[in-house]
Amino acid sequence: ESFVALVNTANPAAYKSTSPAQGSSSQHPPTYPPFANAHSQPAPSLMDPFFDDDEDLLDLSPATTPRPMQSQESGLPLTHAAAPPAGLDSRSPSLPTHGAGQPHGWNFESQATFPGNASFPGAPPAQRKHTIRRRKKWKWRWPWEKEIQPTGERVIVLNNSAMNVDFCSNFVSTSKYNVVTFTPKFLKEQFSKYANVFFLFTACIQQIPGVSPTNQYTTIAPLAVVLLASAFKEVQEDMKRHRSDSELNARVAKVLNESLGFDSRPWRDIRVGDIVRVESDEFIPADLVLISSSEPEGLCYIETSNLDGETNLKIKQASPQTSSLTSPALVGRLHGCLRSEQPNNSLYTYEGTLDLVTDAGMPKQVPLGPDQLLLRGAQLRNTPWVYGLVVFTGHETKLMRNATAAPIKRTAVEKQVNVHIIFLFGFLLALSIGSTIGASINTWFLSAQQWYLFQTSSFTGRGMQHHQCSYPHILTFIILYNNLIPISLIVTTEVVRLQHAALISADLDMYYEVRDTPAVVRTSSLVEDLGRVEFVFADKTGTLTRNEMVFRAASIGGIPYAEEVDEGRASGEDGRETWRTFADLRALLEGSSGRSGVERSTSGGEQERERATAVAHEFMTLLAVCHTVIPEVRDGKIHYQASSPDEAALVAGAELLEYQFHTRKPRSVFINVRGSLVEYEILNVCEFNSSRKRMSTVVRAPDGKIKLYCKGADTVILERLGKHQTFTEKTLSHLEDYATEGLRTLCIAYRDVPEAEYRQWSTIYNQAAATLSGRSEALDKAAELIEKDLMLLGATAIEDKLQEGVPDTIHTLQMAGIKVWVLTGDRQETAINIGMSCRLIAESMNLVIVNEETSHDTSEFISKRLSAIKNQRSTGELEDLALIIDGKSLGFALQKELSKSFLELALLCKAVICCRVSPLQKALVVKLVKKNQDSILLAIGDGANDVSMIQAAHVGVGISGLEGLQAARSADVAISQFRYLKKLLLVHGAWSYQRLSKLILYSFYKNICLYMTQFWYSFFNNFSGQIAYESWTITFYNVLFTVLPPFVIGIFDQFVSARVLDRYPQLYMLGQKNVFFTKSVFWLWIANALYHSLILFGFSVIIFWGDLKQATGLDSGHWFWGTTLYLIVLLTVLGKAALISDLWTKYTVAAIPGSFVFTMIFLPFYAWIAPLLGFSTEYNGLVPRLWTDAVFYFMLLLVPFICLARDFAWKYYRRTYMPLSYHIAQELQKYNIPDYRPRQEQFQKAIKKVRAVQRMRRNRGFAFSQTESNRQDQARLIRAYDTSKSEARPSGY
């Protein structure tokens, strides 16, 4: 079976839900599990998040698709039209409570039985036990077998751990390997590299007696070293993941024990069915059903930034039937069972029923929904404690269900090398076959002429000799030529990558001093892919922004005030309006006349001044009263619990200006105005939602007057203003200034409501509030009746603080040809606003907003826009576009039939923002691009909700930020700030790609250059397999004499400096186009190596033709010629390294000239000492003859010069007449040619300023006053609090 069910619930909007009203009908009682409803619509097929990148998308037909879970409402007073649980109709009475929190009529004794009734038939005694306790028999599952997804319902017995032993543990692992899987997984990964397979084959045939011309251990020993080095590196990197997992699993939580006390227990030991106490600011250890909390009516606040990226607090509420169980004694005596949905990956849905029994023998069922589910990874905020029942643990939690297994990643360069190795092996095989044919021809036809070799001359003898030798001959030649593929390459590249990782970690430009955090490369094998990235997928919250909202500015009565005012605005230069500071505003509110700014602003006399003060007072009072914030006093300081960070920032801003929100009671709020406590009665709250874009509060002021305070987006407030507005034009001008700076704005307005009008409207409002069907729409209509004829007071500006350097980084990445996509769980307007402030969306871009409700509408919209854009571009009109798509539309767009069109539209846009997306949808978007585009993808995020996206991309970057370290632990590279991505890619990435490309090409070149001389020599030795060089000298070639140049080129070479790469980000496109490692470049290097080997061998043969006679009268001999050829090859190869080095350092000098000097010292010493020790007798007496011969030195000077003359001439021609962009950049760097572009940028900034104002007039981002929720009544929630009685909260002990 596949993970189809998992995917179908990734986006709940992808299917049509049954309305709660229908579900609660007595004619059609709901069934459990919910997918048993035959009348439900089948879910459209979504893209499988676990598809292999090399396979087609799964075709998920409705006939084979399991039903997705359909979320019911939770049945609480704060939800609409709750669906009753299975077996009960809507007339079932609720359960009253009494006494010390124990519900009336409950019997907690386990022996109570239920005989059954018409709605809920009881089971026979023999069957009932089996129903509750379903034991799973453990069954072996092979690694290649897919996990069978459980169906039906999960039954959890309360306070009975023995009955819940079948569920998985809470242990979590994110590592790639364990003790059992390391060997098979590691070997599979290593032998997916064809070079290792080839060397293993060579090592095996070397063990055949009489076949190998070399020692039988010359290949298997280096291969073992290569594998051990790679294994050590993999173990080191995976141990970091194991340590992170161990830290997480060792976190401590409080679990209820049998003696009704709380034990501290590691997270890994928590089991399904346990009751856990979670305290404020602690992370939730598993998926819990909320039973009760310290807050009124079982309320609690959680932050889910690790799950969905949203930093605003979410409100959860326990069921009224369990919210009174606020002590261990009460909750410990709770018996029964929880019937729950099976584990799935949908973060926003949950269904379950708590089955309890009353003392009358009647079942009491408590329906549970998303409001009662606390997810692992979320954090409890501003709530002293909660009790939760563990329902999902470990890898069955919704967080882990949204995660994917740690993949084995390989770089694009490595994949290319694999392909080249196949062709080289084919080339090697052709050489071996040709040599074998040559040996066969020699045996059959030339043996009679070579009488001195004593070969058999008879026809039969030659046939027997051929039959016996032809097969071993091909293996002999394969072994002889096997070093055409360099075995040292793998070790060299791994060491160089490790050094690159160390250089990145040691870069002080990427060190964040505030948190003492350097950059960390966790997967060093991917460093070269950092230089070829074409797509960056970024999270917003915590990645681009700091998760901090700050009240920056306000326009009050047409006068602009700001926290900080620059000199130009303070002095009113160039005829601009003079801005005031918050200190001036504070002086105005206090009635002080000592500040000239206030005097100037109120120069119209005392009456005008009093009017300005009254407006400012009303403005500040509105900020302190019109909200849903809960104050909490901790350590003598007030902390604000807010479901929206924008709202908390406004209340904090009012406090800064001495209008402190102090206490909330069920019917009133108290504010401290400059030391005096003032009470405002809260009459009604008209809530915020995305269609209203505003919230209103009807209050009774201390003087008895009724006022309506309203705040919202400028578009909705301005159309509800009354006539004769004084400040509208000035306020709009200030809004444009704020929006240009990327600030989030709200308009502030109020009106006095006559008592008679309020009484009439209150009746209408109460009727709307009592409506069961369409309650939200009725309340909106009622609010419209009173939200009219408003008086504009001004506007606020809040800064959603970006991380330092984000706009510049995104702009630079776009200049480098990198497409930046933002995938966030935040709302559409928030995402657009941040996109503009961080320069992802430019002023000149047109927005394509996809916000459809159905699959058909989404398909139609995408098709129309796609054809329109294509037609526009076919006429030659090019326009920059930005695509904005919400989570619901994205769910439809990711369906198989729509995904290609959606991707085509997205690729035509310069920027893409996906909002309200789940973690799984983030991974699906990345995989869609990865499968259909031949590009390198990078994903960057900072929370657990980004892990799937990070693992799906070619390169994952985690930010070790405020949301924890989940992303950093799972990523390939961890950095502290988004701005460091610029240097990571444009400098370190570009260097790594160029260095690794040059290293690989040079490694192939130097081996082919030497070992092809063996092939040319075969034509002179009857294809006998005779080697031209002494065996150990061949080994020293890669191990000693040419080992340093590849390392120096791979670690220290720079084709241009970091300063130039930063100044000209367009140079990064060289990596995107793969300029340094194309197929043609690779085979040109191979051809150059063949040319050099032929020239070197040819000149050595010509000079030594007929065997060179020395002055002593003796012949020079085979080893004299072979050693001379060896050294001229070595000098040529080192000369080539010098020619391709762009940066010369002391290490380059030590590696290239130093290697030849070392060889000229070491080789004669070895050739002298080795024969004395009884091995390498070929060198016996060679040193005094070779190192004193003039011809030897003549060849060292002549032949390498002839070889490299062509290379030098080509390099000169290429740089002079066909230069690439980096050649020009090298000259700019060398001659320090100045760049005059900054002057142009000044002019461009002025133009952008004008465009920005024009665009912001059409599209301004506004701050949200509160969290929108269809299930929660914000007015009812705030009326549940009485912060003046905080001491009366239960302690939970």
Side-chain angles (χ1 to χ4, degrees), residues 52-271:
D52 291 329
D53 291 331
D54 298 325
E55 297 174 356
D56 290 330
L57 300 178
L58 295 177
D59 184 16
L60 309 178
S61 62
T64 59
T65 305
R67 289 293 304 131
M69 286 286 180
Q70 288 188 348
S71 175
Q72 297 178 1
E73 301 294 346
S74 62
L76 304 182
L78 56 91
T79 60
H80 317 287
L88 294 180
D89 60 22
S90 58
R91 298 184 298 274
S92 298
S94 61
L95 187 67
T97 61
H98 79 103
Q102 177 173 331
H104 175 72
W106 278 24
N107 179 15
F108 289 101
E109 302 301 324
S110 59
Q111 59 264 31
T113 60
F114 171 55
N117 62 16
S119 299
F120 195 94
Q127 296 178 2
R128 192 174 297 117
K129 184 176 180 181
H130 178 70
T131 302
I132 295 177
R133 186 178 182 179
R134 296 183 303 163
R135 291 272 182 184
K136 296 181 190 174
K137 291 185 178 179
W138 185 80
K139 183 182 178 183
W140 173 263
R141 185 168 65 88
W142 294 102
W144 54 83
E145 290 180 345
K146 290 191 175 181
E147 182 183 358
I148 299 174
Q149 296 298 309
T151 57
E153 61 190 32
R154 162 176 288 213
V155 179
I156 302 165
V157 183
L158 307 181
N159 287 317
N160 192 338
S161 57
M163 302 293 285
N164 300 316
V165 295
D166 296 323
F167 301 111
C168 77
S169 72
N170 202 36
F171 178 83
V172 166
S173 173
T174 60
S175 59
K176 287 170 65 176
Y177 309 107
N178 58 38
V179 175
V180 176
T181 62
F182 176 76
T183 301
K185 276 189 174 181
F186 172 74
L187 291 178
K188 178 185 176 183
E189 182 179 357
Q190 291 303 311
F191 286 106
S192 65
K193 301 171 184 175
Y194 298 144
N196 286 341
V197 176
F198 169 70
F199 290 122
L200 181 64
F201 167 71
T202 304
C204 290
I205 63 176
Q206 272 187 324
Q207 311 309 310
I208 302 173
V211 169
S212 176
T214 57
N215 190 291
Q216 60 182 349
Y217 300 112
T218 55
T219 302
I220 199 167
L223 180 61
V225 171
V226 168
L227 294 178
L228 285 173
S230 298
F232 177 75
K233 174 178 148 303
E234 287 289 328
V235 168
Q236 287 292 101
E237 290 181 347
D238 207 50
M239 283 301 293
K240 296 176 185 175
R241 299 187 184 97
H242 276 283
R243 281 193 290 270
S244 298
D245 292 340
S246 298
E247 291 173 11
L248 190 66
N249 290 317
R251 285 183 179 177
V252 176
K254 294 178 179 178
V255 181
L256 189 69
N257 57 27
E258 294 180 359
S259 60
L260 301 183
F262 284 99
D263 293 335
S264 293
R265 191 183 299 177
W267 279 20
R268 61 175 173 271
D269 295 335
I270 293 174
R271 295 289 182 266

Side-chain angles (χ1 to χ4, degrees), residues 237 240 494-507 519-525 527 972 988 992:
E237 290 181 347
K240 296 176 185 175
E494 289 299 332
V495 172
V496 166
R497 284 168 175 159
L498 279 172
Q499 192 59 39
H500 285 184
L503 290 173
I504 291 172
S505 299
D507 191 341
V520 177
V521 180
R522 298 182 182 275
T523 310
S524 61
S525 56
V527 288
D972 304 304
H988 290 289
S992 293

Side-chain angles (χ1 to χ4, degrees), residues 309 311 509-515 517 538-550 552 741-742 799-811 833-840 940-943 946 957-964 967-968 974-982:
T311 53
D509 290 339
M510 299 170 65
Y511 169 72
Y512 191 50
E513 191 173 1
V514 175
R515 288 202 292 270
T517 311
D539 176 44
K540 181 193 79 70
T541 309
T543 304
L544 303 179
T545 63
R546 300 186 192 178
N547 299 346
E548 297 175 17
M549 299 290 182
V550 181
R552 284 292 183 211
E741 295 176 13
E799 180 186 5
D800 186 358
K801 295 186 74 173
L802 294 172
Q803 285 196 13
E804 188 180 342
V806 166
D808 177 61
T809 301
I810 289 180
H811 180 64
N833 195 42
I834 291 297
M836 291 179 174
S837 61
C838 71
R839 296 177 71 181
L840 175 64
I940 179 169
D942 69 325
D946 304 315
V957 178
I959 291 184
S960 49
L962 300 176
E963 292 188 16
I975 57 179
S976 297
Q977 296 281 290
F978 182 82
R979 69 178 185 271
Y980 297 156
L981 190 65
K982 180 169 74 170

Side-chain angles (χ1 to χ4, degrees), residues 186 313 333 464 514 525 626 659 716 927 953 1048 1120 1191 1229:
F186 172 74
L313 300 184
R333 291 165 54 198
M464 289 296 294
V514 175
S525 56
C626 181
Y659 278 69
V716 297
K927 288 192 174 186
V1048 169
F1120 188 105
V1191 175
Q1229 176 184 328

